[in-house]
């Protein structure tokens, strides 16, 4: 499908943007989206953009860092927006409600353009609002979204602008998405000036890719280009693993050379590394999706469910079934304040954020 990334906002007047805050949204992604809007108004001396925060019932929403924001509107308020962006964060498979999904579908029927930042695209996909669209989402959520919603055209880009949908990964990527939107609306002079104000060396575009785990090795010079190529082939072929001899022929090196590269740079054999990739993918699916264990074993290239279970228990330390039970046991975070007599005992934001992170499905997916 050819992507038409043209936006249909009016070039003149104020573009009204609403941010739907999900529980445990990431503050950095929200700030990265809002700050360019503020600076656009400041530099142009016009109200090019307005922005508002929305929650389901109008009450404060807790971010992943333990801070809370008080929204301007609830879903019941009749406010007209040009664009609504879903601000997601950690534990995305359990932080949205049917009421929010229904409201987003209603906004789509009204012709409102929709977007998602960090993991917000997952909710749009669940609502069927990204079927046939290009979609970018934080890489930690990408596997679950791809497998659960196959009609969505997932990619590994920082952000995607596709007709009346705009989605981005997390961190600072929403800023790049919003700056590209501004370029289409008001020209490159404004977006470049905003980038300068925020000390950004450049505005990244839709062709820029997310930094995936494999790139951690190459970014610090730990891998040769050929080894990076082999790992990319492995990552892109987890459902139907490629034999080592085929991998060698694809990158034009010998089987023995590949084995030496893996042992030298990664201290393991190619087959063991390939198995680790497949088990990591399986772990994400167990924690972030409702796929059956049989389906997950097939999606990760195992010849049978018993074989998958044996490998998983041997390398992860628990069975797939127990892994899923642990991930979905529904732990809740402790309250931030408790009463002890007449005193209020305060739980620091950092402590609450750490407590929450331990109970969310993707905790520990990046090894340090």
């Amino acid at each position: 499908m050819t992507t038409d990334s043209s936006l249909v906002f009016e070039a003149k007047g104020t573009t009204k943007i609403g941010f739907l805050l999900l529980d445990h949204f990431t503050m950095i992604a929200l700030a990265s989206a809002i700050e360019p809007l503020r600076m656009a108004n400041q530099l142009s001396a016009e109200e090019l953009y307005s922005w508002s925060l929305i929650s389901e019932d109008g009450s404060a929403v807790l971010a992943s860092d333990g801070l809370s924001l008080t929204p301007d509107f609830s879903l019941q308020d009749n406010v007209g927006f040009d664009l609504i962006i879903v601000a997601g964060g950690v534990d995305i498979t359990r932080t949205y409600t049917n009421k929010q999904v229904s409201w987003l579908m209603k906004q789509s029927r009204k012709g409102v353009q929709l977007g998602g930042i960090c993991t917000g695209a997952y909710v749009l996909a669940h609502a069927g609002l990204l079927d046939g669209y290009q979609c970018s989402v934080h890489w930690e959520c990408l596997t679950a979204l791809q497998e659960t919603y196959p009609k969505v055209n997932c990619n590994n880009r920082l952000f995607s602008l596709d007709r009346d949908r705009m989605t981005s990964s997390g961190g600072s990527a929403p800023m790049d998405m919003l700056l590209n939107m501004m370029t289409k609306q008001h020209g490159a002079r404004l977006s470049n000036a905003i980038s300068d104000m925020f000390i950004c060396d450049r505005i990244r575009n839709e062709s820029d890719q997310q930094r995936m785990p494999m790139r951690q090795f190459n970014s610090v010079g730990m891998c040769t280009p050929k080894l990076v190529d082999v790992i990319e082939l492995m990552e892109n072929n987890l459902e139907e693993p490629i034999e080592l001899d085929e991998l060698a022929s694809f990158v034009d090196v010998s089987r023995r050379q590949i084995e030496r590269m893996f042992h030298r740079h990664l201290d393991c054999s190619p087959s063991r590394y390939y198995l680790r990739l497949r088990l990591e993918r399986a772990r994400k699916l167990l924690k972030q999706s409702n796929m059956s264990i049989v389906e997950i074993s097939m999606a990760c290239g195992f010849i049978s469910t018993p074989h998958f279970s044996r490998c998983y228990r041997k390398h992860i330390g628990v069975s797939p079934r127990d892994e899923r039970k642990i991930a979905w046991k529904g732990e809740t975070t402790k309250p931030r304040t408790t009463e002890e007599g007449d005193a209020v005992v305060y739980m620091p934001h950092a402590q609450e954020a750490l407590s929450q992170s331990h109970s969310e499905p993707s905790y520990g997916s990046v090894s340090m």
Side-chain angles (χ1 to χ4, degrees), residues 311-329:
C311 291
Y312 200 93
R313 181 184 290 277
K314 179 180 179 181
H315 293 275
I316 306 298
V318 296
S319 69
R321 191 176 302 279
D322 288 342
E323 182 79 272
R324 172 158 280 175
K325 287 180 180 178
I326 294 170
W328 291 89
K329 60 185 176 182

Side-chain angles (χ1 to χ4, degrees), residues 286-310:
L286 284 166
K287 291 184 170 188
Q288 300 177 352
S289 79
N290 292 320
M291 294 173 64
S292 69
I293 293 177
V294 173
E295 291 173 324
I296 292 173
S297 67
M298 294 175 60
C300 298
F302 290 91
I303 57 176
S304 68
T305 305
H307 178 235
F308 166 57
S309 297
R310 286 194 300 271

